[in-house]
Amino acid sequence: ALDLKQDEVSFQMLVYELERIFTYLEVEVGNTAAKGKIPLQDRLAVAEFGLLESQMNSLQRELDVGEPIESDVLSVISDQVIEFKRKLGIDYYVEGLTFDYEAILRYVKDLREQLNTALAFGIKGCQLLWNDILFCFTLFRRALQGYTLKPREVTTLRRTFKDVITFIPFVIILILPLSPVGHVLIFGAIQRFIPEFFPSSFTDARQNLLQLYESTEFSQVTIDENLKEKIARISEAFSYAIIDFFKNVFSREDNEKLQSTVDSDESTQ
């Protein structure tokens, strides 16, 4: 009986903690008008709360029928509730100077991935701009030789000229000693009010087209290589068949000559 009462007290403490978590989530998720939408992190928190609530409901049904609660199950749910509170920042205080090495490693890994992505984006943008400049020089040389430019080529010249003009202030703003938040605010304002300010080679549209072209080109090379291998195998098989055919013909003729020689010798005797 004492163990049953102790389990009931522990269960009521968990119910109290779940009510505190519910109140916290109601405040965070309830004000959707200010946020515009519910973030993914909050939706995951609500889903995890639903799982904990379903586990508590099953324990409540066991208590209602007078069955004892297994202490192992109760301790597991208690640990889950404590971990959930830590994720939400409820009753979680850091005393003194501590280091969460796993969090630091995750942060460094995410930062490295973001830097690699940004660096690859910038390199591709510079490559696109340089290729556009070389192509424009080619168009200028052909125009001086009497070639009439097509409307598409004239559009390319205008776009490249605009990209070269906007590339200089773009780089200046990029290398300014500002915080990442400052760069985000500046580029966000520019993208909203002056969307034509960005060079076209540093936009997602052109870079996605470049990535699509590179993947298509790689697939074409792979298909051509496979086709060449098939042709080589077919030619080798054909050559082997021809050689085998001639071998059979010559061996048949040799056998016939040998047989005729044997027959002539027998007739002579």
Side-chain angles (χ1 to χ4, degrees):
L2 182 61
D3 293 337
L4 182 60
K5 291 297 181 181
Q6 186 176 0
D7 292 339
E8 290 180 357
V9 171
S10 300
F11 178 79
Q12 294 300 327
M13 290 294 297
L14 290 177
V15 171
Y16 169 72
E17 296 296 340
L18 281 182
E19 290 179 354
R20 293 182 60 200
I21 294 173
F22 175 78
T23 304
Y24 176 84
L25 292 176
E26 186 179 19
V27 174
E28 289 293 323
V29 182
N31 191 11
T32 57
K35 297 181 179 180
K37 62 178 182 179
I38 301 177
L40 177 61
Q41 185 177 0
D42 292 344
R43 284 181 283 174
L44 293 176
V46 172
E48 187 172 356
F49 177 82
L51 292 176
L52 290 175
E53 188 179 19
S54 62
Q55 294 176 355
M56 294 295 293
N57 290 334
S58 63
L59 293 181
Q60 181 66 50
R61 288 192 293 270
E62 293 180 2
L63 286 176
D64 292 339
V65 297
E67 295 181 358
I69 302 176
E70 295 184 4
S71 58
D72 295 337
V73 176
L74 199 61
S75 63
V76 169
I77 297 177
S78 178
D79 293 337
Q80 292 177 354
V81 171
I82 293 174
E83 179 65 20
F84 192 33
K85 286 170 58 181
R86 189 189 68 82
K87 291 179 182 179
L88 298 177
I90 301 175
D91 296 340
Y92 182 69
Y93 303 100
V94 178
E95 297 180 358
L97 183 60
T98 59
F99 293 97
D100 191 348
Y101 292 102
E102 294 182 359
I104 294 174
L105 291 177
R106 286 196 302 269
Y107 174 76
V108 172
K109 183 179 178 181
D110 294 340
L111 183 61
R112 185 171 63 248
E113 291 178 355
Q114 292 176 4
L115 289 176
N116 291 334
T117 303
L119 185 61
F121 187 85
I123 291 174
K124 284 187 177 180
C126 293
Q127 290 177 350
L128 281 172
L129 183 60
W130 177 249
N131 291 334
D132 290 344
I133 293 174
L134 294 179
F135 181 66
C136 288
F137 277 119
T138 303
L139 292 179
F140 273 123
R141 187 173 65 252
R142 295 174 65 184
L144 292 176
Q145 294 174 356
Y147 173 77
T148 303
L149 298 178
K150 298 178 181 179
R152 179 174 57 85
E153 296 171 340
V154 174
T155 303
T156 302
L157 286 174
R158 292 176 179 174
R159 185 193 65 197
T160 305
F161 180 75
K162 182 186 74 68
D163 291 343
V164 172
I165 296 300
T166 57
F167 179 73
I168 299 174
F170 177 80
V171 174
I172 293 175
I173 295 176
L174 191 63
I175 63 177
L176 284 176
L178 297 175
S179 63
V181 178
H183 281 110
V184 170
L185 291 176
I186 291 176
F187 284 119
I190 292 174
Q191 188 175 8
R192 181 173 181 179
F193 298 104
I194 317 174
E196 301 258 340
F197 177 80
F198 288 98
S200 62
S201 58
F202 292 91
T203 57
D204 292 333
R206 290 201 64 191
Q207 297 229 359
N208 291 336
L209 287 176
L210 176 62
Q211 185 177 2
L212 180 62
Y213 172 76
E214 290 176 348
S215 62
T216 305
E217 186 179 16
F218 176 75
S219 300
Q220 185 67 30
V221 170
T222 305
I223 293 172
D224 292 341
E225 289 179 352
N226 293 334
L227 182 60
K228 290 178 181 178
E229 291 175 358
K230 291 180 180 179
I231 293 174
R233 286 194 296 270
I234 292 172
S235 60
E236 289 176 0
F238 184 72
S239 61
Y240 287 146
I242 293 175
I243 293 172
D244 187 69
F245 173 77
F246 282 109
K247 282 183 178 180
N248 293 330
V249 171
F250 289 139
S251 63
R252 190 181 303 113
E253 290 179 356
D254 293 339
N255 292 331
E256 290 176 356
K257 289 180 181 179
L258 181 61
Q259 185 67 30
S260 63
T261 303
V262 172
D263 293 339
S264 62
D265 291 339
E266 289 178 355
S267 62
T268 302
Q269 291 177 358

